[in-house]
Amino acid sequence: MSLSSFFYAACLGCAAGFAFGAEGFSSRNGAAGGVSSLSGLWAQSYGARPGKVHLYRNDTNPWLQEFNVSLRAQYQAAAVAPNGSGMYPGSHGRTEEWRRLRLGWNARMFRDLKVTNIWNMGGVDGLGYEKEGRWHGHRMTRGNLYEANLEYSLPDATVGVGKVLPVILAENRISSSKYKLPEISAVENMLVSDSSFGVWSCNDEKKEPLGYYAGLWSNTDERSRGTWGTWESANMSLGLSVRADGMLLKEGRLYCDWIYNWGDMKGRPYDGNYTGTGARNVLAVYYYGKQGAFELMAQAVWAYRLKEYSSGGVTVSPSNLAGLTMMPSFNLTDHMQAVARYQLGFGSDAVKLNKRYASLAEAGGSRVDCYQAVAAGLNFFVYRDDPARLKIMTMAEYGHSRGGRSAGFTGWTFICGAYTNF
């Protein structure tokens, strides 16, 4: 039995057992709770005071304290308006998709042990592509394992093992439920790793004067992304952070991440399914700050020995990559937020554009020497105290490519999406 099959069977078995055990459970002291009807599920998900969707909760039970279900869904439409170029036949310069559709469960056991299982439900990783001068639309992908892990809370730290999205780099570090723009910057997107099997340890960085997050990850090239990779393509990550209140804004924190990849960075047979980082070494320094309704994220990143790629039958070894991202935001009201972002990346043949939308345009090339873009957006929240519960995100971005082996993408990208999370 493969590791992914083992996780699948174990997770389904646990889910069925916990859900069955929770059905109809009651307690005279009122410590137990859960849902036993669709109306109860709706009340916990989107009621006046939404929270976790507990199928079972009983803090007095020494074995199982909580069993919850989770859903993360983002459906969005996008269009591009490139300069001086037509479209590939069939692309029409627009597309729509399930950007994220993840269903799972989590449980708290023995007080300090958390079990998590989340699955991509299909369609999430599909990308449109150009072939022989024509555009081919999004491909539905089969469901695959996104997270399956155990985390144990110690007095001063948390340790974990299993499959999870490594916590690295500024935009990728935060949960996708808290994204302020529908897509992360192109420079960061080409460097971060996908969900990977590994071991990690961290503390509560937001509260501690000195925070850390360290992990050792095994990547994979498998199309299902549900298997353990090989240590020949492993990577390690180390993130440190310090409290920086008053440095730029009233509340702030400064981070430094280092990611080292043991992979040889040469062309891989399943390039689109490789889950590791895009460079041998990645070093990033970034800052989060807040003062009243204003927030700021700023990041400088440097990547050494980028992953090689093939262009016109020739293997290309890109130069080192340098990048900069600035993202200010302002809460206009309790239910509306304005956000902007500037991104810059440069290095000979080094900047990989965001394939998801740039490839809609005939001028779209995958690698350029320099790319910079300015984006602006408005977000609308239904729930003031929990924006990720249900929100609308909009974004307009103008990007400009220069140099490289193709014209790259220069023009506008427009995105509008709906997001829900519980």
Side-chain angles (χ1 to χ4, degrees), residues 17-74:
F18 289 159
F20 181 81
E23 182 71 23
F25 184 88
S26 63
S27 174
R28 293 182 180 178
N29 62 16
V35 293
S36 57
S37 66
L38 289 177
S39 61
L41 179 64
W42 179 265
Q44 287 196 34
S45 304
Y46 301 109
R49 301 176 64 87
K52 287 185 178 179
V53 179
H54 301 287
L55 294 186
Y56 174 86
R57 181 174 58 179
N58 182 6
D59 289 336
T60 65
N61 187 332
W63 306 97
L64 173 66
Q65 290 76 52
E66 290 184 16
F67 181 74
N68 313 308
V69 294
S70 63
L71 171 68
R72 185 165 296 179
Q74 180 179 341

Side-chain angles (χ1 to χ4, degrees), residues 306 309 316-322 345-352 367-370 402-405:
L306 295 180
Y309 67 96
V316 180
S317 299
S319 72
N320 300 335
L321 170 73
F346 56 91
S348 179
D349 292 314
V351 186
K352 183 178 181 180
R367 304 275 180 161
V368 296
D369 292 346
C370 180
R402 179 170 55 83
R405 295 173 177 266

Side-chain angles (χ1 to χ4, degrees), residues 120-144:
N120 277 333
M121 302 308 293
V124 180
D125 296 318
L127 286 171
Y129 63 99
E130 176 275 332
K131 185 177 181 181
E132 297 178 352
R134 293 192 63 85
W135 176 260
H136 297 258
H138 289 270
R139 299 159 288 174
M140 293 295 289
T141 59
R142 60 183 176 178
N144 55 61

